[in-house]
């Protein structure tokens, strides 16, 4: 039975006592396991960790309301970072080739709900693309499948999952739904919208991003035996998002001027990961910054190092960001993302 918001807050107010319940302690340890597995995989694949700054000197015009601002020694405004991709891209310009960071990021999220936190953990992975943008999807697929299998089958982690089932009965029990080639279900954005309209009876706009409600509806449908897409699955790809729904620096499709080289992973009805091929050409980047809905000044002091990294030579590149809290939430079947953190932070909480 779902807990009331008051009961959830009471648990978070008394987190030490709450963590003495073995199932809750198991959740905290499983988060550590997710981190351990991710970093181990990346080391085996010859990725190098580049710690990216939490304090940054630029904002994204139009998105200032989502960022925390700080007075930096009375000299200038600093911002708490929401992503490390700017610095990871710059590292690729320095010929690191395969880089990542797993770090705390911050979002000025004013809603106090089961979906939102102001501080959470993201794994960002970037590399020089050797073939084409589909490498991003293939890498993400192998990475997620490997982590899931390890959590389900390795004794060190499976016993934690078993303990967590006292509170989360679905912990570890979700469908990967792989096809006969071992691949996850893949839907193009246009196909996902068509299913929402023609199969699920939803009114939806093909040029507007998939909403949280639509993610949940698609997730429920694809996990059911009624799905006509492929094997019943709790996790799937959505690819080729329209340019209007993606960041300014995502490459447009070679096939048309509407789609992009981009992919999201939906797990248990919510997006846990996004990936795309980034613009690496200097002139194209400057154009994309200037024509953004809220333009970015490529010659500003704040953005100049990033732009210069492309001028000196940036390889074709792409990457993926995975919300580790959301991944664990999906693995547990938990209703509240804050339960994946021992000491969560949201708009109402700075303690304990």
């Amino acid at each position: 039975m779902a807990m009331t918001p008051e009961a959830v807050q009471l648990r978070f107010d008394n987190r030490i006592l709450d963590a003495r319940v073995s199932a809750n302690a198991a959740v905290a340890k499983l988060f550590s396991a997710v981190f351990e597995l991710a970093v181990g995989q990346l080391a085996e694949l010859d990725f190098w960790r580049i710690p990216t700054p939490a304090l940054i000197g630029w904002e994204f015009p139009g998105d200032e309301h989502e960022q925390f601002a700080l007075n930096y020694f009375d000299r200038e405004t600093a911002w708490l970072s929401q992503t490390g991709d700017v610095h990871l891209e710059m590292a690729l310009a320095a010929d690191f080739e395969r880089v990542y960071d797993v770090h705390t990021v911050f979002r000025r999220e004013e809603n106090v709900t089961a979906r939102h936190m102001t501080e959470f953990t993201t794994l960002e992975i970037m590399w020089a693309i050797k073939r084409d943008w589909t490498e991003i999807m293939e890498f993400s697929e192998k990475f997620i499948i490997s982590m899931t299998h390890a959590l389900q089958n390795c004794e060190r982690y499976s016993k934690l999952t078993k303990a967590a089932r006292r509170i989360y009965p679905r912990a570890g029990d979700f469908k990967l739904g792989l096809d006969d080639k071992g691949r996850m279900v893949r839907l193009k954005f246009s196909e996902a919208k068509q299913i929402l309209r023609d199969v699920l009876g939803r009114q939806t706009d093909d040029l507007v991003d998939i909403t949280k409600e639509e993610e949940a509806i698609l997730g429920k449908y694809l996990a059911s035996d009624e799905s006509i897409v492929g094997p019943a699955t709790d996790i799937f790809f959505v690819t080729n998002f329209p340019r209007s729904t993606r960041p300014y620096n995502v490459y447009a499709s070679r096939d048309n001027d509407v789609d992009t080289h981009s992919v999201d992973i939906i797990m248990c009805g919510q997006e846990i990961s996004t990936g795309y091929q980034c613009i690496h050409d200097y002139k194209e980047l400057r154009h994309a910054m200037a024509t953004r809905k809220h333009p970015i000044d490529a010659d500003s002091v704040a953005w100049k190092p990033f732009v210069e990294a492309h001028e000196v030579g940036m390889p074709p590149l792409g990457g993926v960001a995975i919300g580790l809290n959301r991944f664990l939430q999906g693995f547990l079947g938990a209703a509240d993302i804050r339960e994946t953190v021992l000491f969560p932070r949201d708009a109402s909480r700075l303690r304990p």
Side-chain angles (χ1 to χ4, degrees):
M1 184 175 68
M3 287 185 290
T4 65
E6 293 76 16
V8 171
Q9 293 297 336
L10 183 63
R11 285 184 55 205
F12 293 154
D13 287 340
N14 298 276
R15 202 56 163 149
I16 300 302
L17 290 176
D18 190 54
R20 288 187 177 182
V21 176
S22 60
N24 291 329
V27 171
K29 292 175 182 177
L30 279 168
F31 186 83
S32 177
V34 170
F35 175 93
E36 184 178 291
L37 287 167
V39 171
Q41 274 200 74
L42 291 169
E44 290 179 4
L45 295 170
D46 202 28
F47 279 83
W48 299 98
R49 185 185 176 203
I50 303 297
T52 58
L55 289 167
I56 57 175
W58 66 86
E59 76 278 12
F60 287 93
D63 297 333
E64 296 94 341
H65 63 286
E66 295 183 352
Q67 294 180 265
F68 286 106
L70 304 172
N71 184 318
Y72 200 63
F73 298 105
D74 294 324
R75 292 199 307 267
E76 59 182 309
T77 299
W79 307 81
L80 291 180
S81 176
Q82 291 187 322
T83 176
D85 62 357
V86 168
H87 289 96
L88 293 178
E89 286 190 49
M90 291 167 68
L92 290 179
D95 295 333
F96 277 82
E97 292 194 351
R98 299 164 78 84
V99 296
Y100 77 95
D101 194 12
V102 54
H103 56 129
T104 301
V105 294
F106 305 88
R107 181 168 297 160
R108 195 174 182 275
E109 180 55 71
E110 297 184 5
N111 295 314
V112 181
T113 73
R115 292 181 61 97
H116 299 105
M117 294 193 293
T118 52
E119 181 180 339
F120 49 95
T121 305
T122 295
L123 171 64
E124 295 184 271
I125 312 165
M126 302 197 83
W127 64 94
I129 292 175
K130 302 299 183 184
R131 190 180 72 249
D132 59 47
W133 82 275
T134 59
E135 290 179 31
I136 299 165
M137 186 159 49
E138 293 165 1
F139 174 92
S140 303
E141 184 173 63
K142 292 177 182 177
F143 194 83
I144 292 291
I145 290 173
S146 177
M147 287 225 300
T148 302
H149 282 163
L151 288 172
Q152 289 176 325
N153 301 316
C154 176
E155 183 180 359
R156 171 177 166 83
Y157 311 128
S158 61
K159 63 183 181 182
L160 294 173
T161 303
K162 183 178 179 180
R165 287 193 184 118
R166 287 182 54 197
I167 296 178
Y168 309 101
R170 292 186 57 238
D173 184 24
F174 68 92
K175 303 178 286 287
L176 272 171
L178 305 180
D179 65 16
D180 54 6
K181 296 181 180 179
R183 299 187 308 182
M184 288 162 44
V185 170
R186 305 176 182 192
L187 286 174
K188 288 186 176 181
F189 180 88
S190 58
E191 294 169 337
K193 288 286 188 171
Q194 186 174 3
I195 290 172
L196 284 165
R197 267 194 311 270
D198 298 347
V199 180
L200 301 175
R202 300 281 297 187
Q203 291 187 348
T204 186
D205 188 333
D206 281 2
L207 294 180
V208 175
D209 204 355
I210 297 172
T211 66
K212 294 178 176 63
E213 293 75 18
E214 289 172 342
E215 287 177 357
I217 292 167
L218 278 171
K220 184 176 181 180
Y221 173 68
L222 266 68
S224 73
D225 293 331
E226 299 176 0
S227 173
I228 61 173
V229 176
T233 183
D234 287 315
I235 186 166
F236 58 94
F237 285 115
V238 179
T239 70
N240 300 93
F241 284 75
R243 294 179 68 178
S244 58
T245 68
R246 299 290 95 172
Y248 73 96
N249 62 330
V250 180
Y251 252 120
S253 171
R254 295 174 182 171
D255 300 326
N256 58 67
D257 196 41
V258 177
D259 298 346
T260 58
H261 293 170
S262 58
V263 57
D264 277 4
I265 298 177
I266 311 296
M267 182 176 182
C268 297
Q270 70 173 344
E271 176 254 316
I272 66 159
S273 173
T274 189
Y276 50 83
Q277 182 181 359
C278 306
I279 293 174
H280 66 277
D281 180 82
Y282 170 67
K283 292 182 179 179
E284 288 185 43
L285 177 70
R286 291 186 64 95
H287 176 75
M289 295 174 82
T291 56
R292 186 176 181 265
K293 181 179 179 180
H294 300 279
I296 296 173
D297 182 1
D299 296 314
S300 66
V301 173
W303 284 98
K304 192 173 182 180
F306 176 68
V307 176
E308 286 182 342
H310 289 73
E311 185 176 20
V312 300
M314 182 74 72
L317 75 155
V320 59
I322 302 172
L324 297 188
N325 300 100
R326 284 194 176 180
F327 174 80
L328 180 59
Q329 181 187 8
F331 182 80
L332 293 171
D336 195 320
I337 193 170
R338 294 171 296 179
E339 295 184 49
T340 65
V341 185
L342 191 58
F343 303 113
R345 291 291 179 262
D346 60 27
S348 69
R349 180 169 298 281
L350 281 173
R351 289 170 292 275

